[in-house]
Amino acid sequence: MSLPRTVYGGVSTGPETPGGDGLAAYGPRTVTEVRQRVYDFRRCPKADQDEVLSGVDGADVRLSGVVILGGIKAILAGNGDHPGNDARYARWEIEDCVIIGAGRRCPEAQDGTTVTMRRCWVHDFGQDFDVRSFGAWAHRGARIIAEDC
């Protein structure tokens, strides 16, 4: 395992490049930690964004105190490009986080990825998105565990 990638504090109001993700975490041997950060995509044009947060190639992601406001797609854990590494390595721990007003993927887990949510609040999803709006969704062998949410 390599050293963790840590993002602490601050506010993101959109992806770094148009059409991109607010933050993409890559695996399989790097831990990505995001703490006390706000992702406010409410004023970011839909055409300029994809996921607020995404995990690729077996990403190991830990979120704590993260707030997601708006965004057409909040969190995608496992993106379908590397299902073998996602099934073997991918895991998300989401604690004390809030997702408000996202279109969908609050979160979406796929390809064997495990997402554990503790003390999280998801509210008012699906308002600004008209294609398959949903809160949380686990499929293709993935699972989402919600504790005290």
Side-chain angles (χ1 to χ4, degrees):
M1 176 185 292
S2 48
L3 293 174
R5 171 186 181 197
T6 301
V7 177
Y8 186 84
V11 177
S12 170
T13 57
E16 290 184 18
T17 58
D21 298 338
L23 176 77
Y26 295 92
R29 292 177 179 81
T30 300
V31 176
T32 300
E33 295 181 84
V34 182
R35 298 172 182 237
Q36 308 300 315
R37 185 159 177 87
V38 175
Y39 291 90
D40 187 350
F41 279 39
R42 292 176 293 183
R43 291 191 176 95
C44 181
K46 292 177 189 176
D48 289 350
Q49 57 178 292
D50 198 13
E51 271 74 37
V52 176
L53 303 173
S54 67
V56 180
D57 195 18
D60 186 347
V61 181
R62 299 171 192 167
L63 307 178
S64 177
V66 171
V67 175
I68 296 173
L69 302 170
I72 56 173
K73 303 175 213 166
I75 297 172
L76 178 59
N79 75 340
D81 291 341
H82 305 276
N85 277 345
D86 286 337
R88 280 189 292 279
Y89 304 110
R91 72 181 180 136
W92 285 65
E93 294 180 11
I94 305 173
E95 297 183 341
D96 306 310
C97 295
V98 175
I99 303 170
I100 299 174
R104 65 178 181 174
R105 294 187 172 161
C106 303
E108 178 178 348
Q110 62 185 14
D111 298 325
T113 301
T114 297
V115 175
T116 303
M117 301 175 74
R118 294 182 187 93
R119 301 172 306 281
C120 295
W121 183 40
V122 177
H123 180 71
D124 202 23
F125 62 86
Q127 299 300 312
D128 292 322
F129 200 69
D130 60 0
V131 179
R132 292 187 306 144
S133 292
F134 54 86
W137 182 29
H139 57 103
R140 294 198 311 226
R143 63 188 184 149
I144 297 171
I145 303 163
E147 301 172 351
D148 298 321
C149 294

